[in-house]
Amino acid sequence: MLTPPYAAPARFDAPQAALDRVKQIYDASIAHLRSAVQAFVGGTLPPGHVRATYPFVRVHTDTVARADSRLSYGFVAGPGTYETTLTRPDLFGPYYLEQFRLLLQNHGVSLEVGTSSQPMPVHFSFAENDHIEGTLDAGRRLLLRDVFDLPDLGAMDDGIANGTHEPASGEPRPLALFTAPRVDYSLHRLRHYTGTDPEHFQNFVLFTNYQFYIDEFVRIGQEHMAGSEDGGYTAFVEPGNVVTRRTGLAPRAGDERGATPPRLPQMPAYHLMREDRSGITMVNIGVGPANAKTITDHIAVLRPHAWVMLGHCAGLRNTQQLGDYVLAHGYVREDHVLDEELPLWVPIPPLAEVQLALEAGVAEVTQLKGYELKRVMRTGTVASTDNRNWELLPSRHGGSTPERRFSQSRAIALDMESATIAANGFRFRVPYGTLLCVSDKPLHGEIKLPGMANHFYRERVDQHLRIGMRAIERLREQGVDQLHSRKLRSFAEVAFQ
């Protein structure tokens, strides 16, 4: 077995020193794998199996006491040993520093950092622009399996997040929701689905199900870069990692590698960036709960501070008008894509901080207050379905029809993505919210017609998007300490945010 130098566990009482050791171990593992891969591609077969492993961080405490019971994260659940593997300290450095700082502050014990026994899959060692396998013939690609470790799905499941993980006897309890291989897997998936590198993602995310919103977001982003609007934003990134810096800011190394792709990826992402990563990422997830689950499964490993759904919906009440807003405070989950991971009996509660920010955003942008605000916005239950043509199901033969279920649930709007995004936010401890815009009323004969729909989109999208962006800015201004909620944490919660 060919391995890099082993780093025995060492104790640290300073967050930066612990992070430096993590980086040292990770960099050595990456260099070891990349060197072996380059030799393999060049035709040299190593004399044995090549393996590198991830760094780990461990904490042990003998007491349930901690510094501050108001915290929603940053502490372990009780006496015992807790551990997690770590990856990409270049990307997650500030995040790791904060988690280390809180553990040291809340428990007053040292952190242990060393080389784990978790193999690093060779695919996750490739640099951003490496395309190694494309240079290998079929026989050589098959041989890759014998020489290097490949991704092991058994090390990447979401049992920790789902609350089903049970450590073996004597095994440390988890310190984070995601292991290093699970994080690396999602980082690679994000490049594939969104057409942008994980480095560009910001800590506040907007999801939409219509390209109209993306077109408007691009326009606003370019306005910020031209200097007509600032807001602390320094760059705007589009698919293909095409970077536009704000007027007056110099290009950075790597900007020149960006290129507009010949076709958009499945769920293109756009990033209005700030230096502290507190900007706004917007993703067009398209239509349907499968995409909504897929993208949130992967963005969750970046540990964003919040994600919000902005999209169109069917209004289910006769009193609603086209263009009215719906602020979701509950969800009917008929999307089915999370039934195995998050049972339907689990409630998805509204989060006060996000709800208030969205309501304030509507009031600020529309200039309506109090009772007048109710003319354009209604708070209530949103139903999400995986059947786009639910209206075509028989409705006059008794039984549990969609229309009857939606009425019994008091739903006021219907879409295909919002419940999925909220439920995955609950599952992954990411604060969530939903603000939809009524674009048709199928139960009342008001469906989208050519021309009418286009006029509606042009008229409403700008306002709706600015409401969402203003809500994000309010969440940023009030501070993330108030945003992360204890109601998203389970009985025996992991320490990392």
Side-chain angles (χ1 to χ4, degrees):
M1 185 79 68
L2 304 178
T3 61
Y6 171 76
R11 294 182 178 274
F12 298 91
D13 295 314
Q16 187 61 57
L19 179 61
D20 289 344
R21 177 58 64 89
V22 169
K23 188 175 187 305
Q24 179 186 23
I25 296 170
Y26 180 82
D27 288 349
S29 291
I30 287 291
H32 176 71
L33 281 181
R34 287 182 180 173
S35 176
V37 167
Q38 289 172 358
F40 181 81
V41 172
T44 301
L45 192 65
H49 188 84
V50 178
R51 170 165 293 173
T53 55
Y54 290 100
F56 75 84
V57 62
R58 177 189 300 147
V59 65
H60 178 84
T61 180
D62 295 315
T63 175
V64 298
R66 61 177 189 268
D68 191 343
S69 63
R70 296 169 299 177
L71 298 169
S72 62
Y73 61 89
F75 56 90
V76 296
T81 301
Y82 300 80
E83 181 180 306
T84 189
T85 49
L86 305 173
T87 189
R88 293 294 305 275
D90 58 314
L91 177 62
F92 292 102
Y95 167 76
Y96 289 155
L97 271 179
E98 178 65 4
Q99 310 314 307
F100 294 172
R101 183 189 68 79
L102 288 170
L103 285 171
L104 290 166
Q105 172 184 295
N106 291 325
H107 294 290
V109 296
S110 299
L111 302 177
E112 286 184 73
V113 176
T115 300
S116 75
S117 60
Q118 179 63 59
M120 181 183 292
V122 66
H123 299 76
F124 301 156
S125 71
F126 297 164
E128 301 293 347
N129 298 295
D130 284 347
H131 303 284
I132 300 297
E133 287 189 312
T135 65
L136 303 176
D137 59 31
R140 200 74 173 167
R141 284 198 298 272
L142 189 61
L143 189 59
L144 192 71
R145 298 171 175 269
D146 297 330
V147 177
F148 300 96
D149 291 301
L150 300 189
D152 174 13
L153 294 182
M156 299 181 198
D157 68 49
D158 283 327
I160 301 171
N162 294 341
T164 59
H165 173 75
E166 295 185 6
S169 178
E171 180 184 10
R173 283 179 271 182
L175 194 57
L177 290 179
F178 304 108
T179 62
R182 170 67 169 84
V183 173
D184 274 338
Y185 176 76
S186 282
L187 297 183
H188 278 247
R189 292 289 82 196
L190 283 175
R191 294 189 195 96
H192 170 74
Y193 285 120
T194 71
T196 56
D197 289 341
E199 288 79 356
H200 300 310
F201 277 78
Q202 302 296 285
N203 277 321
F204 294 95
V205 184
L206 294 175
F207 296 109
T208 188
N209 50 11
Y210 276 92
Q211 181 63 30
F212 296 94
Y213 287 84
I214 295 296
D215 295 341
E216 191 63 21
F217 189 65
V218 170
R219 186 185 67 78
I220 293 174
Q222 296 296 351
E223 285 180 359
H224 280 286
M225 296 307 99
S228 58
E229 297 191 39
D230 184 1
Y233 300 110
T234 58
F236 186 70
V237 181
E238 303 174 62
N241 299 310
V242 177
V243 180
T244 302
R245 300 283 172 189
R246 198 179 71 221
T247 299
L249 298 181
R252 297 188 180 179
D255 285 2
E256 73 283 354
R257 291 198 294 267
T260 302
R263 63 192 64 84
L264 284 176
Q266 185 173 345
M267 288 178 275
Y270 300 77
H271 314 277
L272 190 52
M273 299 177 64
R274 290 166 60 100
E275 288 299 318
D276 59 359
R277 297 190 65 184
S278 66
I280 303 173
T281 286
M282 190 165 200
V283 185
N284 181 0
I285 60 176
V287 176
N291 276 3
K293 177 183 183 298
T294 296
I295 199 64
T296 48
D297 280 348
H298 299 313
I299 290 179
V301 306
L302 298 174
R303 308 315 296 142
H305 293 315
W307 59 43
V308 172
M309 176 66 189
L310 296 181
H312 291 149
C313 65
L316 298 180
R317 302 302 179 93
N318 194 38
T319 54
Q320 291 170 305
Q321 304 296 320
L322 300 187
D324 283 358
Y325 294 115
V326 172
L327 177 60
H329 75 175
Y331 301 89
V332 175
R333 294 171 52 202
E334 294 202 358
D335 51 336
H336 301 302
V337 293
L338 280 167
D339 292 0
E340 293 184 14
E341 290 93 344
L342 195 68
L344 288 174
W345 49 261
V346 176
I348 310 300
L351 303 183
E353 296 80 5
V354 182
Q355 298 294 100
L356 291 172
L358 287 169
E359 182 174 355
V362 176
E364 184 175 330
V365 174
T366 63
Q367 294 294 294
L368 298 173
K369 296 180 180 179
Y371 193 67
E372 286 301 308
L373 188 61
K374 292 187 176 184
R375 292 184 183 275
V376 299
M377 187 184 75
R378 182 165 179 168
T379 301
T381 298
V382 169
S384 291
T385 178
D386 59 355
N387 184 353
R388 179 61 185 85
N389 296 314
W390 64 273
E391 306 101 313
L392 305 183
L393 293 173
S395 59
R396 294 184 177 85
H397 302 289
S400 180
T401 64
E403 185 175 343
R404 176 177 293 180
R405 292 195 300 275
F406 299 152
S407 176
Q408 290 174 325
S409 70
R410 312 301 193 267
I412 63 173
L414 175 75
D415 76 348
M416 299 184 69
E417 302 86 22
S418 293
T420 310
I421 288 170
N424 239 7
F426 180 90
R427 176 176 167 234
F428 290 130
R429 290 73 161 172
V430 176
Y432 52 85
T434 300
L435 183 70
L436 303 176
C437 185
V438 175
S439 62
D440 63 329
K441 295 169 60 182
L443 294 180
H444 309 95
E446 294 190 48
I447 62 175
K448 299 186 187 79
L449 297 173
M452 181 188 79
N454 288 336
H455 174 74
F456 164 78
Y457 294 142
R458 286 193 300 270
E459 186 179 72
R460 262 292 183 260
V461 164
D462 174 71
Q463 184 182 80
H464 192 186
L465 178 57
R466 288 187 180 275
I467 289 169
M469 294 180 68
R470 182 61 193 129
I472 292 296
E473 289 166 354
R474 294 182 72 95
L475 292 174
R476 181 200 303 140
E477 291 163 1
Q478 75 182 25
V480 297
D481 289 342
Q482 297 183 45
L483 177 57
H484 291 283
S485 174
R486 288 178 292 179
K487 70 179 67 171
L488 296 183
R489 315 299 279 185
S490 63
F491 291 168
E493 190 56 67
V494 299
F496 279 24
Q497 174 245 318

